[in-house]
Amino acid sequence: MPKGLTETTIDIPLGGSKDQGGGLNQGVDNLLVQPPYLAELVNGDLLIDGSVKRRYPANELPDDGISTRAHQNMNSVFNHDSTALVVNTNLGPHVYTPGTGWSDTGEFGQPPCRVQDQRAVPVKTWYADSAVSNGYIAYVTCEVAGAAMQTYFTAYEYGTGALACPKTLVTGLPVGDVGFNPKIIAHPTTGLFHVAFMSHNDNATTLRLNCYSAANFPAATIVNTASYTGGTDQHELALGATGYFYVVSAMAAHTLEARLVDEATYVTAGSQTVAGVGGSDGLGAWYNATATRLYVAAFDRTIDATAAKTVHFLGDLSTQTAGSDFTLLPSVYADVGYAGFVASFAYSGNSDGQMLMVLSTICYYDVPGLSAGPPAYQAEGALGQHGCTQAFVVSTTLSSVSTLKPAWNYYLSTRLWNPSASNAARPLFGLLRLNTAAHQSSGGATADTFFYEQWQSLQTTMLVCSYGVHAVADPEAYLRNLSVVARCHDNAAANPQAYQIDVSAYPFTSTPLYHSRLAGVSVVVAGGVSFARATYTSFSVRDVEQPPTSLYDHVFQGLQGTYGQLTQTAFEWTCAPCSKDSAQRLSVVSAGYEGYFDGMGSFENTPHSYPEVVDRPFQLAEPTDVDVQIPFYFEATDITGGVVDTDYAATNNLNVVFVWAWVDAYGNLHRSAPSSRHNSNGMRGITRTNGVYTIDMYVTDLPLSAIPATAEQRYLEVYVSGDVSVDPTMRLAVTLPYEPWSAGATPRDTERPWLLHVVPTLNELDIDGMSPYASAQMLYTEGDVLESLPPPAFLDTVATKDRLWGINAGSLYFTKPLEAGVAPEFNDNLSIPVFTGSGPNVALSVIDEKVIVFKQGSIFVVTGDGPNATGGGNAFPVPQSVSTDVGCVSTASVVRGPFGVVFQGLYGIYLLDRGLNLSWIGKPVINDVTIGMRLTGVLVPQQSHVRWILDSTGRMVVWNYEQNQWSIYEGLTEKHGVPYSTGWVGLLDGVELTDESICYFTQERPTAPDEVSNYVESTMPLSFTTAWIKTAGIQGFVRVKRALLLGTVGTFPSFFDANNGLEVVVQYNYRDDTSSTYTWTDVDSTDRPQHEMHLQYQKCESLRFLVREVPAAGALTCPGASFSGISLRVGTKGVPFKYFPQSQVR
Amino acid sequence: MATLTLSELQTRVRQRADLALSDQFIPTSELTIYINLALSKMWDLALENDGQSFIPYTDVPFTAPTTAPNLYALPGVYKVLSVQLWDSVAGGVRRPIFPAMETQIPGLMSQQASANITFGAMYRLSGGFGLASTAGLQLQLFPPPLTNTVLYVRCVPPAPVLVNDTTPVMFPNGWEEFVVLEAAIKCIGKEDGDTRELRRQRDEMAESIRTASSSLDRGSPERVQDVVYGLVDYPWGNGGW
């Protein structure tokens, strides 16, 4: 009678802590079964009890109070001070506070824009353009070379930024001629870059077309060329159907020509000449692939001085059809018309082919004495209208469907999409701010005086910007070429102060009640000096009929002390947490500029400019006599009629310093750098009457980005010394309330509203040494304490060692030691350059007392205590290298926790543990975290998780650092999330529930076993795959007969309801295609209390199990099963154990 | 008596062998094969004893040889119970004939005679196993028959092969357990399992079937067959008065 094989049961736990002897690699005798780590785990977690369970379900969070636009643009969230959730949108943060819900204050603060990269293409004029194709981004730029401009072609590898084709002169015009006004265009995959440019000598004679192929890089070989003569005033390129593009020219004879060009041969495949449209003042063209038509908008003063003309063509240019005229908004000033014009198009988001058409115009009037020259593009005065951008939604026949409110004083519309939105129906149009105040311009007859707006400094900022640059959003959601080729002015020695750059990206809505701003302009300037600073504003769009009444709706503050050419800037709009640390209870935000969030609003770390004083009104009538006086002087006037104190005249010794200060919601004092110390000797502006000093002066305003509108305590502090006190130190004399916005606010100069009119009175001065000022508060910089200066834009920030630390591409910055009641303060002297290591700095983190600096290809650590508030004491030592071959590629990927620091390197996720040992922990998810991704990581301590978001679908890799188990979460379209209260709060992108409501925010929570409803109705089925179980490792193994899934499957009363099933696929012999599938449904469950699998291929070399929940009706409605292990019933010959080493067996 | 369908048999085998409804190791098609094999085995058990049988017989008359001069094909026959020779289709005179020894065949065939009810014709069976092209069981009559002579064969068909889940099978007195046990043993044996207990039960069942099948008619026990008694020309005895 045959006995059969001996049957043995082998239990394989799926997890469990080491102490419990659990874990796939812990509790199994590997003489029986080789460790079968979970090869893949999806939507599940390995719990501390060793079981695998479906990820926590999530409930909706109430979202009342957030505007629709915020919903459309939300992209990340952070936890502020454990008291509030701050949701970043493209428009600014929104705050959710328990008990009160979502703030309805709407949009304020900075959006979560992070500087992504920056490249310096030396540019000296306003002309620049770029295109992306076949993995390269190519630029065409102009540069002043001697007496004329030259056009250059430059290309970079798109992903790495490596130089692919050095800057090369664009040639093709006759000898002695140079090209300008270049445009470039390329189909996405061809690698053929088509550059069109005009003759400089004739300015209208020739339009030249050159083709450069990426196949020839690094050589800028011209592989094809064409010339179109007949006098070209303006031109535009537009991509057509595959293999074709369009060249649209405004001819000198005021006709418009459109050509369809074969991109391989440059043969004209079709053309149309249009009369009555012109375009000599500017045009825009775009091929609408949905409508298969080419659309053109053009402006030509000689044809119609008040309206833009439109025309559209069939794609093969066989027909032309006139579109509507679009009347440009009239100037509010007499004798002012329009000259410059740019039109751009984008899909409106409607599937019927409707378009967003944006028309930008620039005003001009002839300046006496210059009328013989080219049109002088002029502003109309300090408060005048300069340019206007209008936007229309138009039909495919170019009739207006709706009109968007215009933005005054803007120019350069752009064609781009909102890359942060999951719905492509959200185009943006970007704007460049043109002017703020006065101007100087000329007609370009001499070198360096071309048609750019050139501002003499009437305030500490000024703007010179250009047109001819179109911003685009590339397929990876980076805004490329967004603005900006700009120039300050041509005399750095005389005007070293600053320039102002504004870049704005505007979400498209049909009723834009508000316009917000794009922050995070990063700039590379000539000479290698770089700075990055948010340009920031928040304003309401004025009614069309109303000219600006105050610049404060629109002023964008720039940066002091920097001069140079802005080149090219790219912005990262991808999801990123904007706060990774906090100090003084303030959430520190690194997103373009360094800022804080105090629960009420977000604001710049330290005002990026400090109070300066301008003494006299702006002389509009004397544009060539602009009086810039820094430092200022006072003008002594006896305005009171009182008795001028002779002591004042005798001593002439009063020192005054101003400081902006305000107190945040947590009582932290924020203060600017002090103004220059001004002495009254010989100055005007101070009257002393009967022992009372009256100061009458104009002080530059506090930058809007530096103070939240909600702050209640705002001051302009006045410090004095000299005659008012025998104490030579600067002491607080008076604190002037500062109210910049509301009616009845701090008085301003009527002609220069960017200047505060400050008239403090210093009473009861005692020049004999009895002054109360002798005991007043000292200026905080007394005693050589470093002044508070704005840091550059940081890529990342951490707080440790009683300081706040920030990093940019080249250096590490740190604050003075934190002081109770004072916000963190940086200073230029407190920085550590990181010279060695490959690549730029990328991220910053902390392990215990050590500051970790991540570069692209290396890691450094900084130790020590550092200097005191004066900059003295012990300096931080030179950063020590931790790794010379592994670095970090994504700032947002860096997460610190009890394990040390984890981060994304070139090949996935790495761990730098607390002993500074580096290990590659991300190998199990190497197929999910691919090269080129930029991950955002979040620590979720409630579940011992670090989660990295992979893409906009909400897919993420999850590392359980207690169990060292990886899993994939998917199915819920979370754009970002943050630990909050009891668990993860996920930021959704509008999940429509079955009740037709929309869910935007969810909070995960543990579930009760019998809970069957109230889940966000998304399908998040659990699945997991064991590693291959090597049955050949079992002694005497003959067969593995059966497998039993262990756990609480089947014990949930409603696990097998109509929506839930279970499927197990068993694969054999290392082959995916040799498998058996076992399924259980609610029908089976009635008589199958256990999930046993009678294995099909029992004499296998190996096997593994793919277990997955099956949502039968598209959703899972119960908490899910819990699996603790797999039990194998194995048939063996003899005992399955090896009692003795083989060599001792007799 | 119990009547079970194939589906019911499958269920009982699954219970015995601990198989799932949709078992991957022994799918239903394989299980059906095992059940049919077990049925065949039990068929043999029931036929093991002579006499009155639980297996129903069938009669097959031949008015002429299938293949001249003396070959009769019996394709649907498992075993033959008896062979008769009739003088006509009506069977006015019927004579049992008996198998010939191989050594008798030359003599029978050399008589220049024809098989009829008055001549001592004999037959011999062969076939049923081999290539399908060689056909099934066949009977040869020695000597060849006369015209109008009818060969009448009483036989037992082979065991039924169950295909449809709903086809009922009748089992006397719990005999279906033999099929269930036999099939379950094959299932467990496939994975080298321990089948000892099932085999013991099956063997008990087999013994019961043997015993029961040998005495279908408890009132009239089987007697020794008189192979001479049946001669039709001398029905009262071959030469004895």
Side-chain angles (χ1 to χ4, degrees), chain A residues 31 1035 1135-1146:
Chain A
L31 292 177
Q1035 289 293 305
V1135 295
F1137 300 99
K1138 183 189 289 185
Y1139 289 113
F1140 303 101
Q1142 194 64 37
S1143 61
Q1144 297 177 19
V1145 175
R1146 297 186 176 91

Side-chain angles (χ1 to χ4, degrees), chain A residues 619-656:
Chain A
Q619 302 296 314
L620 183 60
E622 303 171 20
T624 58
D625 187 26
V626 176
D627 195 351
V628 180
Q629 298 292 339
I630 299 175
F632 68 100
Y633 60 91
F634 297 112
E635 182 175 14
T637 55
D638 183 0
I639 59 174
T640 64
V643 179
V644 175
D645 195 311
T646 54
D647 287 346
Y648 167 69
T651 58
N652 290 331
N653 186 22
L654 176 66
N655 301 307
V656 182

Side-chain angles (χ1 to χ4, degrees), chain A residues 989-1065:
Chain A
D989 191 25
V991 173
E992 185 172 352
L993 306 181
T994 52
D995 63 359
E996 299 183 352
S997 63
I998 302 295
C999 177
Y1000 291 97
F1001 308 96
T1002 60
Q1003 182 159 32
E1004 291 183 357
R1005 54 179 172 71
T1007 55
D1010 59 349
E1011 196 167 15
V1012 294
S1013 60
N1014 299 324
Y1015 301 100
V1016 172
E1017 296 170 55
S1018 293
T1019 304
M1020 300 180 292
L1022 164 71
S1023 68
F1024 64 86
T1025 304
T1026 68
W1028 289 104
I1029 300 171
K1030 302 169 188 173
T1031 50
I1034 303 172
Q1035 289 293 305
F1037 164 81
V1038 178
R1039 293 176 178 275
V1040 54
K1041 297 184 174 180
R1042 292 167 187 257
L1044 178 66
L1045 204 53
L1046 303 176
T1048 53
V1049 174
T1051 60
F1052 281 125
S1054 58
F1055 176 76
F1056 287 110
D1057 64 12
N1059 290 326
N1060 300 276
L1062 187 69
E1063 177 182 278
V1064 179
V1065 177

Side-chain angles (χ1 to χ4, degrees), chain A residues 1-5 7 1038-1039 1041-1042 1076-1078 1084 1087-1088 1092 1094-1099 1129, chain B residues 17-27 187-197 199-200 203:
Chain A
M1 183 70 73
K3 175 177 176 293
L5 297 174
E7 290 195 351
V1038 178
R1039 293 176 178 275
K1041 297 184 174 180
R1042 292 167 187 257
S1076 313
T1077 301
Y1078 303 84
D1084 296 331
D1087 60 357
R1088 291 207 59 81
E1092 185 185 73
H1094 199 188
L1095 301 179
Q1096 186 177 7
Y1097 303 98
Q1098 300 185 347
K1099 291 184 175 181
R1129 196 195 302 173
Chain B
D18 195 17
L19 302 179
L21 267 178
S22 302
D23 201 89
Q24 299 282 355
F25 184 62
I26 300 180
C187 294
I188 296 172
K190 184 185 177 187
E191 56 183 352
D192 299 333
D194 188 348
T195 59
R196 285 175 295 182
E197 174 58 19
R199 284 173 181 274
R200 188 190 64 75
D203 292 347

Side-chain angles (χ1 to χ4, degrees), chain A residues 762-815:
Chain A
L762 310 184
N763 294 316
E764 299 178 0
L765 300 181
D766 186 350
I767 60 174
D768 297 325
M770 299 301 290
S771 167
Y773 302 112
S775 58
Q777 169 190 318
M778 284 193 302
L779 181 63
Y780 73 94
T781 54
E782 293 289 351
D784 295 329
V785 172
L786 296 172
E787 61 185 2
S788 175
L789 294 177
F794 288 155
L795 292 167
D796 206 0
T797 313
V798 296
T800 187
K801 306 161 89 73
D802 209 20
R803 300 174 192 268
L804 191 62
W805 299 70
I807 197 171
N808 67 6
S811 295
L812 176 64
Y813 296 82
F814 52 90
T815 64

Side-chain angles (χ1 to χ4, degrees), chain A residues 86-104:
Chain A
V86 184
V87 177
N88 297 298
T89 76
N90 287 355
L91 314 171
H94 293 256
V95 182
Y96 175 82
T97 307
T100 57
W102 292 96
S103 165
D104 60 357

Side-chain angles (χ1 to χ4, degrees), chain A residues 164-203:
Chain A
C165 177
K167 188 173 74 173
T168 305
L169 182 66
V170 173
T171 60
L173 294 173
V175 175
D177 199 355
V178 293
F180 78 109
N181 194 9
K183 307 282 178 64
I184 186 170
I185 203 166
H187 280 287
T189 60
T190 60
L192 297 175
F193 294 94
H194 310 290
V195 176
F197 55 101
M198 295 161 57
S199 161
H200 176 263
N201 282 2
D202 199 350
N203 193 28

